[in-house]
Amino acid sequence: MADKNDSMDKIVSLCKRRGFVFPSSEIYGGYGAIYDLGPYGVELANAVKREWWKCMVQLRQDIVGLDSSIFMHPKIWEASGHVAGFADPLTECKVCHVRSRVDHLLEEAGIEADEKMSEEQINALLFANLDKIKCPSCGKKDFTPVRKFNLLVKSNLGNFADDWSKEPAYLRGETCQGIYVNYKNVLDSSRVQVPFGIAQIGKAFRNEITARQFIFRTREFEQMEMQYFTRPENEMEEYEKLRDYRWQYYTRHLGLAEKNLKWHKHKNLVFYAQEAYDIEYAFPFGFKELEGVHARGDYDLTQHAKYSGKDLSYTDPKTGEKFVPHIIESSVGVGRTVLAVLTEAYTEEDLDGDQRIVMKFPKKLAPVKAAVFPLLKNKPELVSLAKEIYDALKLDFMCEFDDNGNVGKRYRRQDEIGTPYCITVDFETLESRTVTVRDRDTMEQIRVAITDLAGWLRTNLSSDSK
Ligand code: ATP
């Protein structure tokens, strides 16, 4: 785990330097809170998604996957309450015109608030606490009255030809609506029975007011969501199980330290919610929401039944009993998870006065599993044997071949992208058919026979000590 004095700046700089994350459209000056994943970022994000899918679908007989579209019928966003109420409280500094989320300004001043409060409530709180609050940009205390700002991103899809939709088509603000509206299809086409879950990974879009925390809050992001359909009377019992399961996922599967995670119970619940907790992570800028685990009652299916006119109740195949399932959900962003994993992995070590930066990712998340080096670039016999080894290993593992610069530099580079093993072909290799394998974390080197390498890697990569 990174020391707490690791600043966000160091992580941002490493992400840029080593190709994890780039600001979108950088050559045009960037584009408001949108980021691109570089070569190692995309590997890391894919590994995070694979691990989530494994936990939420592969290991669960009662959960199935889905990939619904980004565009959905505009009525869905009315039914869900997003058109009327998916809004954050905004104020603008009258001096420098920077906009801020008022619930965040209040929270940072230690005042309990959240975005679900009414415009009037949160306006009163802001102006009653001006002694503790200032504009994060210029430091002045001259704010416009609070107004709610809708986060849905509109598009012009369908606004041509016969104009089939007078309502704007939105880019989805969350992925779970695609799950709710497919609940009947899944039920009718797969062998699931209540209780069961539907899991999905996909893009979501929000017109976030403030987006100053790197990939923590972006306007385009990916969500990993699982909605679990329960009998009404079992909702809270299943909810507790889901909370426990999600905690285990972070600690056991992603290797996040327990001390860096905590539960935050929502005090101001939306009217339909039975219970809501967030899992918070100790990001470099403090404990902040990583994931939401919510018990949503029958709100979602009831709303969609009402707006679509379709019966979305469930009939128990054994008893014939009919009811509207209640829903519990787990919802987390890929970008926030990647940032948590980067924060956890970032380590600075002192090596005889030299600094070593090493990303101690769990091996299963490491973007590159092994790097293969010839000791010297100008020795064709070393280079060709190293290439041969690389060509064989790449069939099973994400590998890199590198013959640039001295071996020490190559190690440093692989440390910074978190590669668990570096394999070097040296002169002894030509005699003994063994290579050195250097461990990222201990920096110890052992010799392994070329013929055993793939098996050795398989065993050691699966023994995730971290
Ligand atoms: P916040 O209070 O931080 O705005 P939220 O409570 O609105 O988040 P949810 O709507 O519950 O978030 O979304 C579920 C999850 O999706 C969040 O826990 C987070 O991991 C992720 N998420 C939400 N908004 C963003 C965003 N703008 N950028 C990146 N990830 C996001």
Side-chain angles (χ1 to χ4, degrees):
M1 164 65 190
D3 294 343
K4 266 301 125 197
N5 61 11
D6 284 335
S7 69
M8 192 63 207
D9 291 349
K10 288 180 178 171
I11 293 174
V12 173
S13 147
L14 180 129
C15 282
K16 175 80 199 299
R17 184 170 76 245
R18 290 301 183 200
F20 283 93
V21 181
F22 306 129
S24 158
S25 325
E26 201 180 9
I27 59 168
Y28 288 92
Y31 197 57
I34 303 193
Y35 289 90
D36 297 336
L37 293 172
Y40 300 117
V42 68
E43 294 294 339
L44 182 58
N46 282 344
V48 161
K49 289 189 267 185
R50 260 198 313 273
E51 207 48 34
W52 186 89
W53 197 262
K54 180 173 178 189
C55 251
M56 302 309 281
V57 181
Q58 186 181 329
L59 298 180
R60 297 285 301 245
Q61 219 181 330
D62 54 343
I63 303 179
V64 292
L66 180 79
D67 189 8
S68 67
S69 304
I70 286 173
F71 285 114
M72 288 183 272
H73 196 290
K75 278 266 172 319
I76 287 174
W77 302 105
E78 273 177 51
S80 67
H82 283 75
V83 173
F86 188 45
D88 282 343
L90 168 146
T91 186
E92 190 173 310
C93 171
K94 287 188 188 162
V95 181
C96 71
H97 302 290
V98 161
R99 292 172 164 193
S100 297
R101 247 179 88 166
V102 184
D103 53 326
H104 289 171
L105 292 179
L106 287 161
E107 270 166 24
E108 273 150 33
I111 301 152
E112 186 78 38
D114 72 42
E115 76 274 16
K116 290 170 200 89
M117 288 175 164
S118 72
E119 213 166 77
E120 295 72 32
Q121 267 177 318
I122 206 150
N123 191 62
L125 264 184
L126 170 67
F127 287 97
N129 287 288
L130 281 183
D131 54 325
K132 302 188 199 91
I133 293 168
K134 57 182 194 293
C135 168
S137 177
C138 73
K140 298 284 187 318
K141 292 167 177 284
D142 198 2
F143 295 109
T144 60
V146 176
R147 73 187 162 90
K148 288 269 189 150
F149 180 80
N150 195 292
L151 301 180
L152 281 179
V153 178
K154 278 183 196 160
S155 81
N156 67 352
L157 184 84
N159 289 346
F160 49 83
D162 59 350
D163 200 12
W164 54 268
S165 162
K166 293 262 180 336
E167 301 137 305
Y170 297 101
L171 296 177
R172 67 181 172 201
E174 57 185 22
T175 54
C176 56
Q177 297 302 328
I179 295 181
Y180 304 145
V181 300
N182 273 297
Y183 137 88
K184 268 276 180 206
N185 283 337
V186 171
L187 205 53
D188 295 346
S189 59
S190 43
R191 298 178 58 209
V192 290
Q193 288 179 5
V194 167
F196 75 97
I198 305 177
Q200 158 157 255
I201 300 177
K203 290 256 172 157
F205 303 82
R206 296 183 187 178
N207 255 324
E208 297 282 357
I209 298 166
T210 46
R212 284 190 279 265
Q213 285 155 334
F214 194 42
I215 53 172
F216 177 81
R217 185 181 305 286
T218 51
R219 296 195 168 110
E220 171 180 338
F221 58 100
E222 242 178 329
Q223 284 187 313
M224 303 182 279
E225 298 202 291
M226 195 283 294
Q227 308 291 314
Y228 199 75
F229 301 80
T230 74
R231 293 183 67 91
E233 66 276 21
N234 294 345
E235 179 178 7
M236 293 320 291
E237 187 191 326
E238 295 288 359
Y239 180 66
E240 288 308 320
K241 280 201 259 173
L242 180 61
R243 280 184 52 200
D244 189 48
Y245 193 67
R246 295 302 298 157
W247 187 266
Q248 304 295 332
Y249 161 79
Y250 287 114
T251 53
R252 297 215 185 132
H253 287 255
L254 289 197
L256 303 182
E258 300 244 4
K259 69 175 168 55
N260 293 324
L261 292 163
K262 70 177 185 200
W263 286 107
H264 169 81
K265 185 175 159 70
H266 286 218
K267 294 218 174 77
N268 299 296
L269 289 178
V270 282
F271 69 93
Y272 54 81
Q274 311 293 306
E275 188 84 276
Y277 276 86
D278 294 336
I279 298 178
E280 294 188 340
Y281 179 75
F283 290 102
F285 39 82
F287 270 99
K288 294 274 181 242
E289 173 177 341
L290 175 59
E291 134 155 18
V293 188
H294 307 144
R296 305 178 56 89
D298 64 0
Y299 176 76
D300 307 289
L301 292 183
T302 309
Q303 284 294 101
H304 286 303
K306 191 166 128 198
Y307 277 73
S308 67
K310 299 285 185 310
D311 179 9
L312 296 181
S313 61
Y314 174 81
T315 306
D316 188 304
K318 288 194 200 93
T319 62
E321 189 192 348
K322 207 171 156 175
F323 58 89
V324 176
H326 282 210
I327 292 176
I328 56 177
E329 73 169 355
S330 152
S331 171
V332 57
V334 173
R336 276 193 202 181
T337 311
V338 165
L339 186 56
V341 167
L342 287 165
T343 306
E344 189 85 15
Y346 186 93
T347 311
E348 289 176 356
E349 288 175 359
D350 185 54
L351 290 188
D352 305 324
D354 246 12
Q355 190 192 54
R356 174 171 97 118
I357 295 173
V358 51
M359 297 303 282
K360 294 192 173 178
F361 295 125
K363 292 168 196 164
K364 63 185 156 202
L365 298 185
V368 175
K369 306 301 180 203
V372 184
F373 310 152
L375 181 65
L376 297 170
K377 191 181 183 163
N378 56 2
K379 295 285 172 202
E381 62 277 35
L382 298 185
V383 175
S384 67
L385 184 51
K387 270 259 166 64
E388 224 177 85
I389 293 172
Y390 164 75
D391 283 336
L393 292 180
K394 75 180 183 194
L395 300 176
D396 293 318
F397 310 98
M398 190 72 196
C399 289
E400 270 193 2
F401 177 86
D402 188 3
D403 60 3
N404 236 326
N406 69 44
V407 170
K409 281 219 178 86
R410 288 182 246 166
Y411 283 154
R412 289 293 174 279
R413 186 173 169 277
Q414 295 299 333
D415 286 345
E416 289 203 359
I417 62 169
T419 305
Y421 299 109
C422 289
I423 296 163
T424 305
V425 172
D426 54 21
F427 291 106
E428 205 184 316
T429 311
L430 303 176
E431 317 262 299
S432 66
R433 308 297 291 176
T434 62
V435 289
T436 67
V437 180
R438 178 229 191 219
D439 183 287
R440 175 194 70 193
D441 298 343
T442 62
M443 292 184 287
E444 275 165 18
Q445 299 188 16
I446 56 165
R447 292 203 80 88
V448 177
I450 295 174
T451 47
D452 295 342
L453 254 183
W456 188 94
L457 274 178
R458 197 164 294 114
T459 308
N460 285 276
L461 285 168
S462 64
S463 71
D464 241 322
S465 55
K466 175 100 181 57

